[in-house]
């Protein structure tokens, strides 16, 4: 990339806008015919806009230690008994007067050499996580159906989305993609360069991320089999049309169905990406030992390189889910279906170490993504743009002068077609699909079988349920004077209290991406105000008092969000101090700690935040094996309480999304992804079979009941407007008359006044500053630093030391069996 502050060997990270709605500055271009020419030199100079603000981004601030400790006490107080809180206060005071100031000074010294004080610690906590990423780390998005009916089938929908995705990649690599902004504040953009061509690679020392910024091909999975073909040239121009993509997908489906499904399932290599990371690392080493039965065929290592370096994976699922819960389960972890003792569900038609675009037989589409290198805000921008582009391309087919989303387009594909098919010159580009064929030993086949049974167990241990609430959405909530996100967060609190009679530790991420290498801060939704509200709501209090308590809780939540988004929360700061202490204890002078979360991770909790890591090391058997060595603040019951997340929630979405979700954080908890739209609220909840449907039923009951209270109170405060019907008389009570109702000579038009129903009242929506700044979080995408992602780490075995390999040069386009296209 050409911007001076960003090089391909430097990772600038940013985290999901868990709480703020990004205002994309994407310009709709008129797209004159000249832009279809092969030359773009006239546009080149002014098109480098993607990273234009990188140098202007400020560093994430390190909060004052005293303020952080005070916020920590406020966050844990509602979760503790009076005696426990007194003990915690003592631990905090001890920390402030002993280890705390020294660790704070050391953190400042450490941060002076870093772009972000939390980045490396945060990143390590994810890459050293041992448990499978499926159902533990990878989130999913489900797009709304394509408004073009003809595209709501698998092949045309997949071809349309991939075509738009390639345009997005091209705009990104040419640095023509406008930067994200929130209320005029530019956000960090470098994460987009790690969205494509990136894979999570397991090693016995923890995972690493490898990226290929020159990647030019995609991989397609169908019935657990792998295919690939080129889609971009060396200039990042798209070299394949939507119709050609459709032909390739049809050919791939035909070839995949030629293999009996049970036979394909027995060789479903993708299931290895669902294994425990250390197990997967050992299997990968075995898998890449260059086992070759036929020396003329590509090795496993060559096939794996094609897979790892691909732009993304397209998964063509041979099912047609209909209910929202079925759709969510399929996009989160795939289906499990045993036929003749063999797994034939879509759970084996995945590669969880990469970004995946998933399309079902009935055209339902979305993504499942490995989010260590990217956050939800980044992926949301991607899926929203490609969804928009599919609509705009359809409009352009109707009206050729219609605008386009992209500043420039690729040159005419037909002019280079023969070259792209490998028929001209000695170019190594080929748009014809080829099948990756693996060499599996008995040991690997056994490993595949055990990996599948463990995956099946994992799927059976979890459930996903949805609530698509259509009675009201953000329009109604804002008319009532509430922040929509705070309103929904209090709904979770009330539903849980109503079902279990207690409050539960709740986590919601707030975006700090306005800072260089910013990620997230944790909003702790349980507060004194929220506890007061839930208690009153579920007890016999007047409606007005309940609503007043709700308003106070929501206002406090908005203040918390503002503080966290400014980088002044307590969780990330305390975690960094803990990491500094641990580095000193272990005598590790390097940037990363190889045992940060790998050897001692709590197997019941995935690191939604590094706080789970702190919990595992501070629960009595800390890093040194001596609990006395741990600062008291990290070895206290409050720390355990705060970092045992029961309700892990995240608000992420816009009109392009139908569903969004992720797995539960703990065995006792719920994972809740939600989307607040103008007139609806979409909620996807997961748990390890903890009455998920009942929780959503309780939540729906609350949403309806609180609406009744708000309507009642609004009716008391302000009478409903009236329409005037000819022939009626005026009511005795005063009535507010709309300015648009013209008066007659006698002062009013005659006629009976009819009360207007609420749906007919279209009050002007005015967003407050608070709502503009803190709506639409993109949470549960907490991950750490990307500094270790500076280069694609080369495998030492990649060097051709084998004499046979050195004497046999293979063209890249020869990897895989070439498919025969069926031309209509």
């Amino acid at each position: 990339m050409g911007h001076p502050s960003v090089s391909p060997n430097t990772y600038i990270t940013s985290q999901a806008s868990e709480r703020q709605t990004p205002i994309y500055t994407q310009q709709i271009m008129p797209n004159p015919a000249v832009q279809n020419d092969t030359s773009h030199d006239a546009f080149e100079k002014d098109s480098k806009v993607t990273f234009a603000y990188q140098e202007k981004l400020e560093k994430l601030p390190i909060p004052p230690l005293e303020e952080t400790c005070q916020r920590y006490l406020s966050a844990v107080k509602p979760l503790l008994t009076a005696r426990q809180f007194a003990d915690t206060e003592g631990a905090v005071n001890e920390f402030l007067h002993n280890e705390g100031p020294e660790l704070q000074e050391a953190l400042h010294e450490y941060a002076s050499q870093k772009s972000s004080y939390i980045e490396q610690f945060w990143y390590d906590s994810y890459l050293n996580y041992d448990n499978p990423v499926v159902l533990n780390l990878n989130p999913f998005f489900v797009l709304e159906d394509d408004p073009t009916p003809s595209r709501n089938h698998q092949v045309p929908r997949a071809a349309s989305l991939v075509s738009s995705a390639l345009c997005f990649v091209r705009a990104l690599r040419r640095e023509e993609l406008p930067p994200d902004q929130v209320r005029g504040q530019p956000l960090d953009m470098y994460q987009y360069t790690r969205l494509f061509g990136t894979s999570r690679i397991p090693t016995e020392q923890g995972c690493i991320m490898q990226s290929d910024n020159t990647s030019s091909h995609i991989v397609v999975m169908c019935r657990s089999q792998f295919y690939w073909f080129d889609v971009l040239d060396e200039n990042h121009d798209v070299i394949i049309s939507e119709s050609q993509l459709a032909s390739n997908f049809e050919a791939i489906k035909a070839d995949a169905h030629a293999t009996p499904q049970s036979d394909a399932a027995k060789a479903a290599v993708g299931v290895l990406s669902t294994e425990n990371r250390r197990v997967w690392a050992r299997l990968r080493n075995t898998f890449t030992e260059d086992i070759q039965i036929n020396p003329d065929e590509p090795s496993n290592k060559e096939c794996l390189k094609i897979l790892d370096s691909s732009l993304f994976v397209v998964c063509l699922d041979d099912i047609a889910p209909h209910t929202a819960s079925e759709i969510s389960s399929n996009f989160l972890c795939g289906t499990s279906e045993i036929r003749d003792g063999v797994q034939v569900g879509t759970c084996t038609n995945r590669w969880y170490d990469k970004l995946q675009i998933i399309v079902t037989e009935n055209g339902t589409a979305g993504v499942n993504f490995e989010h260590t290198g990217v956050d939800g805000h980044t992926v949301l921008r991607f899926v929203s743009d490609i969804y928009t582009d599919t609509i705009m391309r359809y409009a352009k087919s109707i009206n050729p002068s219609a605008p386009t989303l992209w500043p420039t387009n690729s040159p005419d594909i037909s002019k280079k077609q023969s070259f792209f098919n490998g028929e001209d010159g000695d170019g190594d580009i080929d748009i014809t699909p080829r099948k990756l064929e693996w060499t599996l030993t008995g040991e690997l086949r056994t490993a595949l079988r055990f990996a599948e049974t463990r995956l099946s167990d994992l799927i059976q241990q979890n459930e996903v349920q949805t609530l698509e609430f259509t009675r009201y959405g953000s329009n109604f909530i804002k008319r009532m004077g509430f922040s929509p996100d705070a309103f929904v967060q209090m709904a979770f609190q009330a539903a849980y209290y109503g079902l279990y009679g207690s409050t539960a530790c709740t986590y919601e991420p707030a975006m700090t991406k306005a800072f260089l290498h910013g990620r997230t801060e944790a909003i702790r939704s349980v507060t004194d105000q929220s506890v007061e509200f839930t208690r009153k709501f579920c007890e016999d209090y007047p409606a007005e008092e309940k609503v007043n308590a709700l308003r106070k809780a929501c206002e406090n939540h908005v203040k918390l969000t503002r503080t966290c988004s400014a980088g002044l929360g307590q969780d990330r700061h305390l975690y960094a101090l803990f990491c500094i202490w641990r580095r000193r204890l272990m005598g590790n002078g390097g940037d990363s700690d190889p045992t940060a979360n790998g050897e001692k991770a709590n197997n019941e909790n995935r690191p939604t935040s590094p706080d789970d890591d702190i919990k595992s090391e501070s629960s009595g058997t800390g890093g040194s094996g001596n609990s006395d060595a741990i600062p008291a603040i990290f070895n206290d019951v409050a720390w355990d309480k705060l970092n045992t997340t029961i309700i892990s929630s995240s608000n992420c979405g816009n009109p392009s999304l139908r569903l969004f979700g992720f797995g539960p954080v703990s065995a006792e908890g719920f994972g809740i992804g939600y989307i607040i739209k103008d007139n609806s609220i979409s909620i996807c909840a997961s748990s390890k079979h903890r009455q998920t449907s009942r929780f959503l039923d309780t939540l729906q009951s609350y949403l309806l009941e609180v609406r009744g209270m708000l309507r009642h109170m609004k009716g008391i405060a302000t009478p409903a407007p009236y329409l005037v019907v000819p022939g009626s008389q005026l009511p005795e009570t005063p009535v507010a008359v709309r300015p648009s109702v013209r008066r007659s000579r006698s002062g009013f038009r005659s006629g009976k006044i009819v009360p207007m129903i609420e749906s007919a009242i279209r009050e002007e929506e005015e967003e407050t500053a608070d709502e503009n700044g803190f709506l639409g979080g993109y949470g549960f995408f907490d991950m750490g630093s990307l500094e270790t992602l500076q280069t694609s780490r080369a495998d030492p075995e990649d060097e051709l030391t084998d004499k046979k390999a050195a004497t046999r040069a293979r063209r890249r386009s020869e990897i895989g069996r070439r498919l025969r296209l069926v031309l209509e």
Side-chain angles (χ1 to χ4, degrees):
M1 300 300 177
H3 195 271
S5 67
V6 183
S7 71
N9 295 323
T10 303
Y11 267 79
I12 296 179
T13 64
S14 51
Q15 176 50 32
S17 171
E18 276 43 4
R19 301 271 307 127
Q20 293 182 334
T21 301
I23 302 174
Y24 298 137
T25 58
Q26 179 68 295
Q27 182 180 3
I28 305 302
M29 305 298 293
N31 193 26
V34 69
Q35 291 181 337
N36 291 324
D37 293 341
T38 58
S39 174
H40 306 282
D41 294 339
F43 188 81
E44 188 73 23
K45 183 178 180 180
D46 297 328
S47 67
K48 305 294 185 181
V49 299
T50 304
F51 306 107
Y53 298 104
Q54 291 296 137
E55 292 180 329
K56 301 177 183 179
L57 297 177
E58 297 180 359
K59 278 189 175 184
L60 184 71
I62 299 177
L65 182 61
E66 294 77 9
E67 293 182 11
T68 290
C69 288
Q70 188 57 50
R71 292 188 183 103
Y72 171 68
L73 288 173
S74 297
V76 299
K77 183 180 178 181
L79 304 174
L80 304 175
T81 65
R83 182 175 180 178
Q84 288 173 333
F85 184 67
D87 292 340
T88 298
E89 283 185 308
V92 170
N93 287 331
E94 179 182 337
F95 184 70
L96 280 171
H97 292 91
N98 292 302
E99 309 98 337
E102 184 180 355
L103 292 176
Q104 176 83 342
E105 183 179 353
L107 179 60
H108 274 285
E109 181 180 354
Y110 168 85
S112 65
Q113 306 298 320
K114 304 293 180 182
S115 297
S116 169
Y117 76 86
I118 191 63
E119 183 179 31
Q120 190 66 47
F121 304 136
W122 192 248
Y123 188 51
D124 289 342
S125 71
Y126 277 84
L127 288 184
N128 290 289
Y129 178 68
D130 276 353
N131 284 352
V133 294
V134 59
L135 274 163
N136 290 303
L137 289 180
N138 285 29
F140 73 88
F141 290 152
V142 175
L143 289 165
E144 290 283 4
D145 288 342
D146 195 304
T148 310
S150 62
R151 285 183 182 154
N152 285 316
H153 302 281
Q154 185 174 59
V155 168
R157 186 80 193 273
S160 176
L161 288 174
V162 170
S163 181
S164 295
L166 298 179
C167 292
F168 186 98
V169 175
R170 180 183 181 274
L172 171 65
R173 290 185 172 177
R174 293 173 63 85
E175 299 186 40
E176 299 171 1
L177 195 68
D180 297 338
Q181 295 187 18
V182 173
R183 302 189 65 206
Q185 169 67 51
L187 304 181
D188 189 289
M189 287 294 291
Y190 196 76
Q191 230 178 102
Y192 287 93
T193 66
R194 294 301 180 254
L195 180 56
F196 308 107
T198 301
S199 283
R200 178 180 180 130
I201 309 296
T203 74
E204 294 185 0
Q205 291 75 41
C207 293
I208 61 174
M209 299 299 293
Q210 289 186 176
S211 293
D212 184 354
N213 289 329
T214 65
S215 176
S216 60
H217 63 281
I218 64 173
V219 165
V220 182
M221 294 188 70
C222 186
R223 284 201 167 191
S224 308
Q225 299 162 79
F226 294 82
Y227 304 82
W228 74 280
F229 54 89
D230 287 311
V231 290
L232 302 176
D233 65 13
E234 65 278 3
N235 296 320
H236 312 303
D237 285 324
V238 181
I239 60 173
I240 188 168
S241 67
E242 184 176 341
S243 61
Q244 289 169 328
L245 284 167
S247 295
N248 281 4
F249 293 152
E250 290 286 9
I252 286 169
K253 289 186 66 176
D255 186 84
H257 281 74
T259 302
Q261 196 168 11
S262 59
D263 291 345
K266 293 176 183 178
V269 172
V271 76
L272 296 177
S273 68
T274 71
E275 263 286 15
N276 173 283
R277 302 310 290 182
R278 291 185 182 271
V279 173
W280 178 201
R282 291 192 294 270
L283 290 173
R284 186 179 171 107
N285 289 337
T286 302
F287 197 70
T288 57
E289 287 177 349
D290 251 348
I291 305 168
Q292 282 183 284
I293 297 175
N294 184 351
D296 295 328
E297 293 294 328
S299 65
N300 286 341
K301 181 184 291 186
E302 290 175 300
C303 292
L304 201 55
K305 282 183 181 179
I306 291 290
L307 178 54
D308 289 338
S309 63
S310 62
L311 288 166
F312 48 81
V313 176
V314 180
C315 302
L316 302 178
D317 286 352
D318 56 351
I319 64 168
H322 293 287
T323 69
S325 296
E326 289 174 347
I327 292 170
S328 297
S329 295
N330 185 59
F331 281 79
L332 177 62
C333 57
T335 62
S336 177
E337 179 185 354
I338 306 301
R339 187 179 304 163
D340 297 328
V342 176
Q343 178 64 257
V344 296
T346 61
C347 63
T348 61
N349 196 49
R350 299 285 186 271
W351 189 261
Y352 285 100
D353 288 342
K354 291 185 69 70
L355 169 67
Q356 303 172 95
I357 297 177
I358 303 170
V359 188
T360 64
E361 283 284 1
N362 57 350
T364 302
V367 298
N368 180 294
F369 57 98
E370 204 297 312
H371 73 283
T372 302
V374 295
D375 58 38
H377 172 267
T378 302
V379 181
L380 178 62
R381 166 75 184 273
F382 165 61
V383 297
S384 299
D385 277 8
I386 66 175
Y387 183 82
T388 302
D389 184 57
T390 60
I391 298 172
M392 296 180 72
R393 280 191 291 110
Y394 177 69
K396 196 167 185 62
S397 69
I398 300 172
N399 181 1
S401 63
T404 179
L405 195 62
W406 317 113
T408 65
N409 290 328
S410 297
D412 188 353
I413 294 173
S414 62
K415 296 180 180 179
K416 287 186 170 184
Q417 201 63 66
S418 61
F419 177 80
F420 295 149
N421 281 300
E423 300 167 6
D424 240 357
D426 63 6
D428 201 21
I429 298 176
D430 194 348
I431 65 171
T432 305
R434 291 176 174 274
K435 184 175 183 179
L436 295 178
E437 296 180 314
W438 312 93
T439 302
L440 299 178
T441 63
E443 179 184 0
L444 287 175
R445 290 185 181 278
T446 300
L448 289 177
R449 178 181 177 183
F450 290 149
E452 181 276 317
T453 57
R454 279 188 282 270
L455 172 61
S456 298
D457 271 350
L458 189 60
I459 293 173
Q460 297 301 325
Q461 291 163 8
N462 290 267
E463 67 169 339
V464 182
Q465 298 293 334
T466 59
L467 169 62
E468 293 185 286
F469 185 80
T470 59
R471 306 297 288 271
Y472 62 88
S474 64
N475 285 348
F476 171 78
I477 297 171
K478 286 187 284 187
R479 280 203 298 271
M480 298 298 107
F482 294 91
S483 160
D485 185 76
F487 183 91
V488 174
Q489 280 290 321
M490 292 309 108
F492 296 150
Q493 295 296 312
Y496 191 91
Y497 189 93
L499 191 59
Y500 296 103
S502 63
T503 57
C505 181
T506 304
Y507 175 93
E508 182 188 11
M511 181 185 75
T512 58
K513 197 176 177 181
F515 299 99
L516 185 66
H517 295 216
R519 289 292 179 157
T520 59
E521 181 56 81
I523 305 170
R524 297 299 179 175
S525 302
V526 178
T527 62
D528 288 340
Q529 291 82 355
S530 74
V531 171
E532 178 73 3
F533 158 65
T534 55
R535 182 180 65 84
K536 286 186 174 181
F537 189 87
C538 295
E539 295 179 9
D540 188 18
Y541 282 84
E544 184 175 1
E545 196 167 341
K546 293 181 179 183
V547 171
N548 288 338
L550 171 60
R551 195 172 302 280
K552 290 179 181 178
C554 288
E555 289 172 353
N556 187 65
H557 189 85
V558 170
K559 291 178 182 178
L560 280 178
T561 300
R562 182 187 297 113
T563 299
C564 292
S565 296
L568 299 176
Q570 71 283 336
D571 283 55
R572 306 302 180 249
H573 184 196
L574 287 175
Y575 178 63
L577 293 174
F578 173 82
C579 291
I580 291 292
W581 167 80
R582 186 173 54 190
R583 282 160 56 91
R584 288 186 168 189
L585 179 69
M586 296 181 175
N588 186 347
D591 286 343
S592 61
D593 178 2
T595 61
N597 204 24
E599 296 178 359
K600 302 172 183 177
N602 185 333
N603 288 330
E604 292 185 354
N605 294 326
R606 58 165 169 75
T608 310
S609 71
D611 307 325
D612 292 325
D613 177 35
I614 301 174
K615 174 186 173 182
S616 67
E617 298 218 20
S618 62
S619 57
T621 57
S624 66
N626 179 6
S627 61
D628 295 335
I630 302 174
I633 192 174
F634 302 129
N635 199 31
D636 179 64
V637 64
W639 199 252
D640 245 7
K641 285 276 188 179
L642 193 66
N643 296 308
T644 302
T645 302
I646 302 301
I647 300 177
S648 179
S649 62
S650 175
N651 174 7
C652 180
N654 61 31
S656 70
L657 291 191
R658 178 184 176 187
L659 297 164
F660 149 63
F662 45 88
V665 170
S666 64
E668 303 83 16
F670 295 98
I672 303 176
Y674 59 105
I675 304 169
I676 307 174
K677 297 186 179 182
D678 288 347
N679 298 298
S680 64
I681 305 171
S682 171
I683 301 168
C684 177
S686 64
S687 75
K688 295 185 180 297
H689 297 283
R690 194 188 171 184
Q691 298 192 90
T692 315
S693 293
R694 189 178 180 187
F695 175 78
L696 292 179
D697 289 343
T698 306
L699 180 62
Q700 178 172 246
S701 297
Y702 164 83
L703 292 172
L704 293 173
E705 184 172 347
V706 77
R707 181 187 65 166
M709 290 182 182
L710 293 171
R711 279 178 164 175
H712 176 69
M713 291 190 65
K714 185 177 177 65
I716 293 174
T718 55
Y722 288 84
L723 286 177
V724 181
V725 177
S728 68
Q729 295 180 350
L730 293 176
E732 296 180 0
T733 56
V735 176
V737 181
R738 283 181 163 183
S740 59
V741 177
R742 296 170 54 190
R743 297 171 181 254
S744 67
R745 293 180 180 177
S746 61
F748 292 93
R749 290 189 174 185
S750 60
K752 181 181 178 182
I753 297 178
V754 179
M756 294 177 62
I757 61 172
E758 183 178 332
S759 61
I761 306 172
R762 298 304 179 191
E763 300 175 5
E764 182 177 356
E765 298 295 336
E766 295 184 3
E767 295 184 6
T768 65
D770 288 341
E771 291 169 342
N772 276 333
F774 306 108
L775 298 182
Y778 304 89
F780 171 61
F781 302 105
D782 310 313
M783 52 208 134
S785 75
L786 297 179
E787 216 167 72
T788 57
L789 306 186
Q790 293 179 352
T791 57
S792 299
R793 302 192 184 183
D795 189 334
E797 297 181 8
D798 291 348
E799 298 182 8
L800 297 178
T801 54
D802 186 7
K803 293 182 180 180
K804 177 183 288 188
T807 58
R808 180 177 55 85
R810 186 191 309 281
R811 276 169 45 128
R812 172 175 167 278
S813 61
E814 294 176 354
I815 299 176
R817 173 171 57 83
R818 185 167 181 166
L819 303 189
R820 182 184 297 276
L821 295 180
V822 178
L823 302 179
E824 296 182 356

